[in-house]
Amino acid sequence: MKDYCLKFKHLHICVTVRGAPYSRYTVERRRLLGKTKTCGCYAALIVALIVVLRIGVGWHFLYEGLWKANPANDFSSKGFLGMAKGPTKDFYYFFLPDLGGEERIQMAEVYRVALENGQNTAQQRIGWTFPVIEKEWFKYFDDYRAHFQLNDDEQLAQAKAIFDQYVLSLREYVLENREDIRGFVASKARFEDRLAKTKNDAEYQRIRNWDAQTKYRSEGEKFASAPVKMGENMQLDLWNILTPNQKKFGELPAITYGQDKCALMQFVATLPWISDFAKGSTMGALDAMVTVGLTAIGLCLILGLCTRLAALGGACFLINVVLSQFPWPTVYPYSPDMVGHFMIFNKDGIELLILLLIAALPAGRWGGLDWFLWNLVGKNLYRWYGIESDPLSPPCHSAENCA
C-alpha cells in the first residue's frame, strides 16, 4: 500500500494506492486539527487525468514519428536545424554537413592527359567540374559495374553512354555558372570576414546579418542542388537498363558527397522499415535517430512501458528543440504572431515540463504495462539489492501506510 502526499501548512492531500492499479484509490484531506475525510472519486480522477495526459503526449510523439517515417513527406532535420537561432545556434549548425553547399560547389579544371611509359607527355584542358561530385559519380559507376555484374558488352556500352552523358552535363553546368559561382563564393567570403572582425549587437545589424546569412545559404544550396539532382537521375537511368535478374541483387546506396558520407549509415539504411525513409548519409543518420526515437517514445508512453525512461528521452529531445529555437522575444527571427506570444516557456517548454512530471510519477503503473514490469521484475530487483521501498516514488505520509 502506497500513500503519495502533498503537504501544505494547514492541509495534507494524500493519494493512497491499495493493491493492484485497478483497485480502489482514495484521497484523504488531513487537517492538522480536524477530521480525516476519504474521497475515492478525487483520487480516481487524479489518476485518470495523469493517465490521459501520458497517453496524449505519447500520441503527439508517435504521430510525429510516423509522419516523418512516411517517404512521401521527405522529412529532413536540415531545414529546422539550419534555422537555429540564439546563443546555441552554432552548436546545432555543427551537425549539418556542408551547410550552404560550399564544399560541393568548389570548382576545378578538367584535363585530358596523354601518358607514355607512365609519364605525362601532354595535357589538354577540356572544361570545369565540381570535383567532390564527379569523384563520387565515378566511384558509384565502378561499384555499379561490379555489383550488377555487367558482363554483356552491349549493356556495358549502354551504361557507359548514360554515365558519360551525365558527366558531360555536369561539366557544362559548371562552365555555364562558373562566373556566378565565383562571384557568390567571393561575396560570401567577404561577408564572413566582416562578420568575424566587426562586433555590432545593434538589433538592426543583427537582422541584416541573419538575412544575409540565410540568403547566402539559399544561393549555395541552389548551385549545389542541380548537380545532386543530376546524380539522382543518373542512378535511376542506370537502374532502368538492368535485367530483372540483375535487379534482384538490390539497389546500391544513394550517392552522398563530402562531409555527408557515412559508411555505417549506408548499411543501416538497408534494414527493413528503416530503408523506407532513411538515407545512407550523415544527415540521414540524424533524421533516422529523430524518427525512430520519436516513434519509440510515443509508443512507450501510450502503452505505459518504461514510462520514466521514455519521458526523460522525450524531455531531452524537447530541450534541444527549445534551445535551437531560443524562446526569447529579442532573438531574431521573431516568432510569428499566429503561434502566440511567450517568453522563456513556449509550447514546447510546457510539454517539456509535462514530461518531467510524468517521469517523476509512477504513471506507467497506472493503466500501463509498467505495473506488470514492476511486479514481475522491479520488486525482485529491489529485494535482491536489499532496497525496501521504491526510491523513485514519492515518499509515504507515514510508515504505517507503506505496508
Side-chain angles (χ1 to χ4, degrees):
M1 183 168 63
K2 292 286 185 181
D3 195 2
Y4 305 106
C5 300
L6 293 176
K7 299 181 181 181
F8 301 94
K9 186 174 181 181
H10 299 295
L11 178 65
H12 293 174
I13 300 178
C14 300
V15 180
T16 303
V17 183
R18 296 185 175 89
Y22 307 105
S23 300
R24 183 168 172 264
Y25 296 93
T26 63
V27 157
E28 294 181 358
R29 295 188 303 170
R30 300 178 180 175
R31 296 188 181 277
L32 297 183
L33 295 175
K35 297 181 178 179
T36 297
K37 184 177 180 181
T38 301
C39 307
C41 58
Y42 291 162
L45 179 61
I46 291 171
V47 170
L49 288 175
I50 292 174
V51 171
V52 170
L53 188 64
R54 187 198 77 210
I55 294 175
V57 175
W59 174 250
H60 179 206
F61 273 77
L62 178 62
Y63 184 77
E64 279 286 352
L66 294 177
W67 186 92
K68 290 172 172 55
N70 187 351
N73 294 323
D74 195 24
F75 163 70
S76 175
S77 304
K78 193 169 188 177
F80 180 80
L81 293 180
M83 294 298 291
K85 58 183 182 179
T88 59
K89 63 181 186 297
D90 291 331
F91 172 76
Y92 294 100
Y93 294 161
F94 173 78
F95 294 97
L96 301 178
D98 195 22
L99 181 60
E102 188 172 349
E103 181 186 23
R104 284 168 289 168
I105 61 174
Q106 291 177 356
M107 297 182 295
E109 291 180 294
V110 182
Y111 291 89
R112 180 179 290 113
V113 178
L115 296 178
E116 185 174 335
N117 297 325
Q119 299 292 326
N120 182 2
T121 58
Q123 62 182 21
Q124 176 187 4
R125 190 176 69 181
I126 58 176
W128 290 79
T129 189
F130 293 142
V132 171
I133 291 179
E134 188 168 318
K135 173 186 174 183
E136 296 302 329
W137 284 13
F138 273 95
K139 182 178 182 304
Y140 176 85
F141 188 69
D142 290 340
D143 293 341
Y144 171 85
R145 289 191 300 178
H147 181 73
F148 294 108
Q149 301 176 6
L150 299 185
N151 299 321
D152 182 70
D153 292 339
E154 182 178 350
Q155 187 185 41
L156 181 59
Q158 186 181 5
K160 189 72 167 59
I162 293 173
F163 177 74
D164 289 342
Q165 184 61 49
Y166 275 98
V167 171
L168 179 61
S169 298
L170 173 65
R171 294 173 179 175
E172 289 176 350
Y173 173 83
V174 178
L175 184 62
E176 291 172 2
N177 294 276
R178 182 181 55 172
E179 296 305 321
D180 291 338
I181 294 173
R182 277 180 171 174
F184 162 76
V185 172
S187 177
K188 183 180 179 183
R190 289 193 299 269
F191 165 74
E192 292 177 344
D193 184 62
R194 184 175 69 252
L195 199 62
K197 292 180 179 179
T198 306
K199 185 67 174 178
N200 188 343
D201 290 330
E203 182 180 14
Y204 171 72
Q205 190 61 43
R206 285 190 288 108
I207 293 174
R208 286 190 62 191
N209 291 342
W210 176 272
D211 292 341
Q213 176 181 273
T214 304
K215 174 187 173 185
Y216 282 121
R217 287 179 183 171
S218 177
E219 289 183 6
E221 287 292 344
K222 182 184 70 174
F223 285 125
S225 62
V228 170
K229 187 65 177 177
M230 287 184 198
E232 294 173 356
N233 292 335
M234 178 188 70
Q235 293 174 85
L236 181 61
D237 288 345
L238 290 173
W239 172 262
N240 288 335
I241 67 171
L242 297 173
T243 65
N245 288 334
Q246 288 173 323
K247 290 181 179 180
K248 291 180 181 179
F249 291 115
E251 296 185 43
L252 285 171
I255 302 176
T256 53
Y257 306 97
Q259 300 174 17
D260 203 26
K261 290 180 65 65
C262 181
L264 175 62
M265 193 58 201
Q266 288 185 345
F267 167 74
V268 174
T270 62
L271 298 177
W273 185 64
I274 295 180
S275 61
D276 293 339
F277 62 86
K279 300 174 183 177
S281 62
T282 303
M283 199 67 235
L286 181 60
D287 295 339
M289 286 190 291
V290 170
T291 302
V292 174
L294 290 178
T295 304
I297 290 170
L299 196 59
C300 286
L301 287 175
I302 290 174
L303 297 176
L305 178 64
C306 300
T307 306
R308 279 176 164 142
L309 186 62
L312 290 175
C316 290
F317 172 78
L318 287 176
I319 286 173
N320 285 284
V321 171
V322 172
L323 290 179
S324 64
Q325 304 297 317
F326 209 72
W328 193 257
T330 59
V331 174
Y332 188 81
Y334 310 125
S335 299
D337 292 338
M338 65 181 67
V339 302
H341 306 86
F342 48 82
M343 178 183 292
I344 302 179
F345 287 104
N346 56 10
K347 297 174 182 177
D348 296 318
I350 293 172
E351 190 171 22
L352 165 62
L353 294 178
I354 293 173
L355 283 169
L356 292 177
L357 174 64
I358 293 173
L361 294 172
R365 301 181 204 169
W366 302 335
L369 298 180
D370 277 347
W371 182 83
F372 299 100
L373 193 63
W374 165 247
N375 283 279
L376 295 176
V377 180
K379 286 183 177 180
N380 293 328
L381 285 176
Y382 277 15
R383 293 192 187 101
W384 178 269
Y385 288 102
I387 302 174
E388 297 180 358
S389 60
D390 181 6
L392 297 179
S393 294
C396 296
H397 179 65
S398 65
E400 177 184 337
N401 287 327
C402 290

